[in-house]
Amino acid sequence: MADPVVLKTFFDKVDNLQDHYVERLREAVAIKSVSADAAFRDEVFKMGQWLVELFQKLGVSHESVDIGTQVLDGKTIKLPPIILGTYGNDPNKKTILIYGHYDVQPALLEDGWNSSPFDLTETPKHQLIGRGSSDDKGPVIGWLNAIEAHQKAGIELPVNLKFCFEGMEESGSEGMDEVILKESKRYFVGVDAVCISDNYWLGVTKPCLTYGLRGISYFKITVSGPGRDLHSGVFGGTVHEPMTDLILLFSKLVSPSGEILIPGINDDVEPLTEKENKIYESIEFTLDEYHAAIESKTTIHDDKIKILQHRWRFPSLSIHGIEGAFSAPGMKTVLPAKVIGKFSIRLVPHMEPDRVNALVEKFLTEEFAKLGSKNTLNVECAHGAKAWVASPDHWNYVAAAKAVERVFNVHPDYTREGGSIPITLTFQDALNKNVLLLPMGRGDDGAHSTNEKLDRSNYIEGIKLFGAYLHEVAAIKAD
Amino acid sequence: MADPVVLKTFFDKVDNLQDHYVERLREAVAIKSVSADAAFRDEVFKMGQWLVELFQKLGVSHESVDIGTQVLDGKTIKLPPIILGTYGNDPNKKTILIYGHYDVQPALLEDGWNSSPFDLTETPKHQLIGRGSSDDKGPVIGWLNAIEAHQKAGIELPVNLKFCFEGMEESGSEGMDEVILKESKRYFVGVDAVCISDNYWLGVTKPCLTYGLRGISYFKITVSGPGRDLHSGVFGGTVHEPMTDLILLFSKLVSPSGEILIPGINDDVEPLTEKENKIYESIEFTLDEYHAAIESKTTIHDDKIKILQHRWRFPSLSIHGIEGAFSAPGMKTVLPAKVIGKFSIRLVPHMEPDRVNALVEKFLTEEFAKLGSKNTLNVECAHGAKAWVASPDHWNYVAAAKAVERVFNVHPDYTREGGSIPITLTFQDALNKNVLLLPMGRGDDGAHSTNEKLDRSNYIEGIKLFGAYLHEVAAIKAD
């Protein structure tokens, strides 16, 4: 266990410096590093440079990886660099790789912000409102603040740190996979574990550690018939309609209560153990909160544990829509010649995208044959990503849990997320090291919404959490 | 039967004047009376004026009905008038009401026309290519040419004529229904039968009389769940998805071979008699022609009679698309909060829209209840129109059939159409008189396509047909 006196000194220093840290966040938020809009590309570069200058000030050695250009809004423009950093190089210390991103989502005052989105504004309830405050500038700067607090308190950092900060996370993480793969054999050599702080507490009061994410297989199924769209009055009743066939295929996929009907799909789902089941019981989460999030009471289950499990650890199938059919308001009597149905399956351990694709293709091909239609079917898996789950028993998680207890006096919830953060799996697979998702912000931060915020307490306690985590990592006996 | 000598004199005069008639059509085609585009509205008025001048020249008395204004492309502009005409007023003669329209579909050379669309061009195969040649300037002028030929041949027209020409047919027939209803008690009093020449032969060699059109009931079914669109990764598996419910409802409507599965829907379909069945046997129509039209071989039936019957005299159900779901190219993992499914049923005698709507609503409500979903369903019939069928035994049809025999030496096919021409039913219901659809052009005229044409022979023989029809109408003993 980390030395309580050392931690107390560090915590006090963070408290001392908190207004300074808020000013630093304000400076960062003021840089409009919107990666999705070519007009803001200079600002993304400016934000990268701002981080480099902070690195220099703190004595973090660094490299900027040029990842080339992209075509955006019809122009070829430079991609912002991936910034790598190293702080400490002691072979007797563990090395933790920290990932974060310095770009942000677009934001316009007229979208419904209560204050100028790039002007950090503290409310009477001490919420720091501004684009990027929680996603992901607060956490990124939090790590650097933790280093600074150590320096100012005269405490040696008990681990080596590596940093990997990208500027394109909100726009598809261009170039990231390649850089991680390449640097796993060079810059990231010696890393013992990875920590990503780019997600959120499940609720608003209790810290959590996130140890799992679902994967995805995205399908496009195309049914083609006539050579051109037809008028349903003239031709309806005489031709096999692609829409009819597609609807019938779609209807075989999933029940109204969310059960996937494709044979074999559920076979690879990891059985639920008593031990895992227990994890969900204590998690801070209520049905009311969930109903508020979906703005309705149309949940399939009214039981907290079932909702969490179906969100995190069971697969789901959603039908997203149809390309090629009539989709505008009003009435049109078209008989579409070719329709592309889109649906996806959220994958969980131990489902493999390849096997899922094979099962889906086989099933749909067989069902289509039963229709007796003269139309043509094509099944394409357009994207596949495995689920990710880490062991909460790994020292990386144990250290983080202890740090949560040190800072918040509570044992964290162990959460998963239903969606994918592809970078997580890339780090795990490329480095073959444990990856921890350690959130700083709360579930209601509104990362991609208007009035994105980071509570001052989450920011400041988060800096303490990051520092404490590094001390617990150092103190723990690695397996 | 009409006097063969009189007809011969009239036919000879038409043959004599044929180049003059082609020039007249050329003049009309040159007026770009595109009703859908505000920029061409003056040309629509110009075309109306052109017809009025021709009326004056021929001694047709006339009235222009002002139907007010419309908002088009953001501007309030005047609607072109509905032009009414009267030729002859002899109480001892029958009175036939002729309907046609003087506006045309849009046309641009760059859409793929082989010649300038408003410059009538005769090909070596004597096709008169130009926008509006067949739809509907050729037929409209055809009636006036027939009057002129009578005058020049010194033959008295054996019937009274009323005309009703509109300039908004290609843009929703604004104001037409109201005018027909109103004038049925005034201008159209005394009309014995109606003749509309605004459709086409089924094929390319054999004339036809069209005696039926299917109706339509158009449905919008809305399934609502969450208050906002959700991310399928975060929420998939925990909420009742509106798309899943809608797809399951859609899947209950129609089989891949076009059979409507809604209980009771088929009960009101008029039984097929031996006599009616015989009509289809002799109709000039081939499977190859139909495959060419749909640009595939995906017909449900490979039998000519079955295709025609399912096109004309059996109901059909087509699913058109979904509003509110993902419809763009690419991938999106949205879980739509509210989806509006659109489908329509083509109605045939003796299906009543009200009864169809009641059956559809009852069935969908029951099927939705079976799903056990917490989502909400709304079923709306957005539009309903009855089928129309006239008796081919009525003197109006018998006269037209005799006229076909006189001009083409063949008994016409009796056809229906699968789509609706709403004006037909409006005339029938408002005037309570028999309505005949008497086409001038061929099935391959490409009315709304590039390179619209009217064969010179269809134009010239069509003028003869119209005149002969009037003589046969006069000769026949009305019931």
Side-chain angles (χ1 to χ4, degrees):
Chain A
M1 206 176 79
D3 184 338
V5 178
V6 171
L7 281 190
K8 173 87 171 56
T9 312
F10 165 64
F11 290 171
D12 288 348
K13 184 54 75 183
V14 173
D15 281 332
N16 259 222
L17 291 167
Q18 65 167 287
D19 287 340
H20 165 63
Y21 292 150
V22 170
E23 286 315 301
R24 179 170 283 157
L25 182 58
R26 187 187 313 281
E27 246 185 58
V29 166
I31 304 172
K32 300 168 184 169
S33 53
V34 177
S35 55
D37 187 338
F40 290 93
R41 186 52 54 89
D42 285 351
E43 292 276 301
V44 186
F45 274 88
K46 192 174 156 192
M47 184 64 209
Q49 185 54 32
W50 187 92
L51 280 175
V52 164
E53 283 162 21
L54 190 52
F55 272 168
Q56 286 166 340
K57 193 171 156 193
L58 297 173
V60 179
S61 68
H62 54 86
E63 286 186 17
S64 283
V65 182
D66 182 348
I67 50 168
T69 61
Q70 70 168 162
V71 176
L72 186 61
D73 305 338
K75 290 187 295 192
T76 299
I77 55 174
K78 276 180 70 73
L79 285 161
I82 291 167
I83 300 170
L84 305 177
T86 300
Y87 187 72
N89 203 11
D90 185 338
N92 297 317
K93 293 178 181 172
K94 293 199 191 74
T95 301
I96 299 294
L97 170 60
I98 308 294
Y99 163 87
H101 64 91
Y102 62 89
D103 63 323
V104 297
Q105 283 277 315
L108 293 169
L109 181 59
E110 51 266 39
D111 290 343
W113 287 73
N114 297 327
S115 52
S116 178
F118 297 101
D119 187 2
L120 194 74
T121 304
E122 188 161 8
T123 68
K125 287 183 173 174
H126 300 293
Q127 293 182 334
L128 304 167
I129 296 186
R131 175 56 87 222
S133 56
S134 183
D135 179 21
D136 189 35
K137 289 179 175 175
V140 161
I141 297 168
W143 290 105
L144 302 177
N145 291 340
I147 292 178
E148 188 186 49
H150 277 80
Q151 292 175 347
K152 294 204 169 172
I155 306 168
E156 185 188 337
L157 206 67
V159 296
N160 304 314
L161 292 180
K162 295 271 184 192
F163 295 100
C164 177
F165 293 154
E166 68 165 319
M168 285 299 288
E169 198 271 346
E170 303 294 4
S171 303
S173 284
E174 294 268 346
M176 255 318 268
D177 281 2
E178 295 75 7
V179 169
I180 294 172
L181 278 174
K182 195 175 153 208
E183 300 303 340
S184 68
K185 299 181 188 71
R186 189 189 71 100
Y187 204 88
F188 300 151
V189 166
V191 164
D192 295 297
V194 180
C195 182
I196 297 177
S197 189
D198 188 21
N199 69 319
Y200 311 90
W201 296 355
L202 183 59
V204 297
T205 58
K206 198 170 169 194
C208 65
L209 310 180
T210 304
Y211 69 101
L213 300 168
R214 293 196 290 190
I216 188 170
S217 285
Y218 199 104
F219 293 92
K220 297 184 182 179
I221 56 176
T222 305
V223 182
S224 315
R228 61 184 181 92
D229 285 0
L230 302 176
H231 187 286
S232 68
V234 182
F235 296 98
T238 65
V239 300
H240 291 286
E241 302 194 15
M243 269 297 270
T244 304
D245 295 350
L246 177 63
I247 293 297
L248 288 168
L249 291 180
F250 266 176
S251 76
K252 310 283 183 191
L253 297 174
V254 62
S255 79
S257 55
E259 191 196 353
I260 301 178
L261 305 173
I262 302 162
I265 282 283
N266 296 300
D267 296 353
D268 295 333
V269 175
E270 189 172 37
L272 188 64
T273 62
E274 260 318 297
K275 186 181 168 197
E276 188 200 326
N277 207 41
K278 279 219 162 53
I279 290 181
Y280 301 95
E281 284 173 14
S282 60
I283 288 176
E284 188 211 58
F285 176 83
T286 68
L287 186 62
D288 284 350
E289 222 171 88
Y290 203 66
H291 284 166
I294 65 172
E295 297 179 15
S296 75
K297 297 192 172 178
T298 56
T299 41
I300 294 170
H301 307 283
D302 287 340
D303 171 276
K304 161 186 146 178
I305 294 179
K306 280 196 173 157
I307 288 179
L308 290 176
Q309 289 177 347
H310 281 277
R311 193 177 185 186
W312 295 344
R313 65 100 57 227
F314 286 118
S316 64
L317 189 153
S318 296
I319 299 167
H320 304 299
I322 300 170
E323 180 184 341
F326 175 52
S327 61
M331 291 185 279
K332 200 173 160 184
T333 53
V334 68
L335 193 166
K338 180 174 132 177
V339 286
I340 306 172
K342 318 233 176 127
F343 70 96
S344 67
I345 302 176
R346 295 286 164 175
L347 308 184
V348 297
H350 306 287
M351 297 167 86
E352 289 289 336
D354 284 351
R355 187 168 137 76
V356 167
N357 305 350
L359 288 170
V360 167
E361 194 172 333
K362 178 172 183 290
F363 176 67
L364 288 176
T365 305
E366 284 170 3
E367 289 298 317
F368 185 69
K370 288 182 198 166
L371 300 184
S373 167
K374 290 179 191 161
N375 292 326
T376 311
L377 172 72
N378 181 265
V379 179
E380 179 200 354
C381 178
H383 174 63
K386 259 185 13 182
W388 167 77
V389 69
S391 166
D393 298 331
H394 188 277
W395 59 258
N396 199 24
Y397 279 82
V398 174
K402 284 184 179 170
V404 168
E405 286 170 357
R406 288 300 185 95
V407 177
F408 295 96
N409 287 312
V410 68
H411 194 68
D413 280 341
Y414 289 86
T415 67
R416 299 194 190 186
E417 298 207 354
S420 332
I421 308 181
I423 214 74
T424 312
L425 200 62
T426 312
F427 274 118
Q428 182 188 281
D429 289 353
L431 275 65
N432 200 23
K433 298 293 173 188
N434 180 279
V435 180
L436 161 72
L437 300 188
L438 180 64
M440 173 183 264
R442 300 183 187 183
D444 67 347
D445 280 358
H448 289 197
S449 304
T450 52
N451 300 308
E452 176 182 346
K453 59 90 179 169
L454 178 65
D455 291 81
R456 179 186 271 254
S457 67
N458 278 60
Y459 183 43
I460 301 305
E461 301 308 299
I463 297 166
K464 295 179 191 170
L465 174 67
F466 291 172
Y469 157 69
L470 299 177
H471 282 274
E472 295 297 352
V473 161
I476 212 161
K477 195 182 166 301
D479 306 322
Chain B
M1 207 178 78
D3 184 339
V5 178
V6 171
L7 282 188
K8 172 85 172 54
T9 311
F10 165 62
F11 291 171
D12 287 348
K13 183 55 71 181
V14 172
D15 282 332
N16 258 225
L17 291 167
Q18 66 167 283
D19 286 341
H20 166 63
Y21 292 151
V22 170
E23 285 316 301
R24 179 170 281 158
L25 181 59
R26 185 187 313 282
E27 247 185 57
V29 165
I31 303 172
K32 300 169 182 167
S33 53
V34 177
S35 56
D37 187 339
F40 290 93
R41 185 53 53 90
D42 286 350
E43 293 276 302
V44 185
F45 275 88
K46 192 174 156 191
M47 184 64 209
Q49 186 53 33
W50 186 93
L51 280 175
V52 164
E53 283 163 21
L54 190 51
F55 272 168
Q56 288 166 338
K57 194 173 155 191
L58 297 173
V60 178
S61 67
H62 53 86
E63 285 186 18
S64 282
V65 182
D66 182 348
I67 50 169
T69 60
Q70 70 168 160
V71 176
L72 186 61
D73 305 338
K75 288 187 297 193
T76 299
I77 55 174
K78 274 180 71 71
L79 285 162
I82 292 168
I83 300 169
L84 306 177
T86 300
Y87 188 73
N89 202 12
D90 185 338
N92 297 316
K93 293 177 180 173
K94 293 199 190 75
T95 300
I96 300 293
L97 170 60
I98 307 294
Y99 163 86
H101 64 90
Y102 61 88
D103 63 322
V104 297
Q105 283 277 318
L108 293 168
L109 181 59
E110 50 266 40
D111 290 342
W113 286 73
N114 297 328
S115 52
S116 178
F118 297 101
D119 186 2
L120 193 75
T121 304
E122 186 161 10
T123 68
K125 286 183 174 176
H126 302 292
Q127 294 182 334
L128 302 168
I129 296 186
R131 174 57 87 223
S133 55
S134 183
D135 180 19
D136 190 31
K137 290 179 175 175
V140 161
I141 297 168
W143 290 106
L144 302 176
N145 291 340
I147 293 177
E148 189 186 48
H150 277 78
Q151 293 175 347
K152 295 205 170 175
I155 306 168
E156 184 189 337
L157 207 67
V159 296
N160 305 313
L161 291 180
K162 295 271 183 189
F163 294 100
C164 177
F165 293 154
E166 68 165 320
M168 286 296 288
E169 197 271 348
E170 302 294 1
S171 302
S173 285
E174 294 268 348
M176 255 315 270
D177 281 1
E178 294 76 5
V179 169
I180 294 172
L181 278 174
K182 195 175 151 210
E183 301 303 340
S184 68
K185 298 181 190 71
R186 191 188 68 100
Y187 204 88
F188 300 152
V189 167
V191 164
D192 295 297
V194 181
C195 182
I196 298 177
S197 190
D198 188 22
N199 70 319
Y200 311 91
W201 295 354
L202 183 61
V204 298
T205 57
K206 198 169 168 195
C208 65
L209 309 180
T210 304
Y211 69 102
L213 300 167
R214 292 196 292 189
I216 187 170
S217 284
Y218 199 104
F219 293 93
K220 297 183 181 181
I221 56 177
T222 305
V223 183
S224 314
R228 60 185 181 92
D229 283 1
L230 302 175
H231 187 287
S232 69
V234 181
F235 295 98
T238 66
V239 300
H240 291 286
E241 303 194 14
M243 269 298 270
T244 305
D245 296 350
L246 177 64
I247 293 296
L248 287 168
L249 291 180
F250 265 175
S251 76
K252 309 285 183 191
L253 297 175
V254 62
S255 80
S257 54
E259 191 194 354
I260 301 178
L261 305 173
I262 302 162
I265 283 282
N266 295 301
D267 294 354
D268 296 333
V269 175
E270 188 173 37
L272 188 64
T273 61
E274 260 317 295
K275 187 183 166 194
E276 187 199 328
N277 207 41
K278 279 220 163 53
I279 290 181
Y280 301 96
E281 282 174 16
S282 60
I283 288 177
E284 187 210 63
F285 176 83
T286 69
L287 187 62
D288 284 350
E289 222 172 90
Y290 203 66
H291 284 165
I294 66 173
E295 296 179 17
S296 74
K297 297 191 172 179
T298 57
T299 39
I300 294 170
H301 307 284
D302 287 341
D303 170 276
K304 160 186 144 179
I305 293 178
K306 280 194 173 158
I307 289 180
L308 291 175
Q309 289 177 348
H310 281 276
R311 194 177 184 188
W312 295 345
R313 66 103 55 227
F314 286 117
S316 64
L317 190 153
S318 296
I319 299 166
H320 305 298
I322 300 170
E323 180 183 341
F326 175 52
S327 62
M331 291 185 281
K332 198 172 162 186
T333 54
V334 69
L335 192 165
K338 179 174 131 177
V339 284
I340 306 171
K342 319 236 177 121
F343 71 95
S344 67
I345 302 176
R346 294 286 165 175
L347 309 184
V348 297
H350 305 286
M351 298 168 85
E352 288 291 334
D354 285 351
R355 186 169 138 76
V356 166
N357 304 351
L359 288 169
V360 166
E361 194 171 332
K362 178 172 184 289
F363 177 67
L364 287 176
T365 305
E366 284 170 4
E367 289 299 315
F368 186 69
K370 289 183 197 164
L371 299 183
S373 167
K374 291 178 190 160
N375 292 326
T376 310
L377 172 71
N378 181 265
V379 178
E380 179 202 352
C381 178
H383 174 63
K386 259 183 17 182
W388 166 76
V389 68
S391 165
D393 298 330
H394 188 276
W395 59 259
N396 199 23
Y397 280 81
V398 174
K402 284 186 181 171
V404 168
E405 285 171 358
R406 289 298 185 97
V407 176
F408 296 96
N409 285 312
V410 68
H411 194 67
D413 281 340
Y414 289 86
T415 67
R416 298 194 192 186
E417 297 207 353
S420 332
I421 309 180
I423 214 76
T424 312
L425 201 60
T426 312
F427 274 118
Q428 182 188 282
D429 289 353
L431 276 63
N432 199 24
K433 298 293 172 186
N434 180 278
V435 180
L436 160 72
L437 301 188
L438 180 64
M440 174 185 264
R442 300 184 187 183
D444 66 348
D445 280 357
H448 289 198
S449 305
T450 52
N451 300 309
E452 176 183 348
K453 58 90 179 166
L454 177 66
D455 292 81
R456 178 187 273 253
S457 67
N458 279 59
Y459 183 43
I460 301 305
E461 301 307 298
I463 297 165
K464 294 180 191 171
L465 173 67
F466 292 172
Y469 156 70
L470 299 178
H471 282 272
E472 296 295 352
V473 161
I476 212 162
K477 197 182 163 305
D479 306 321

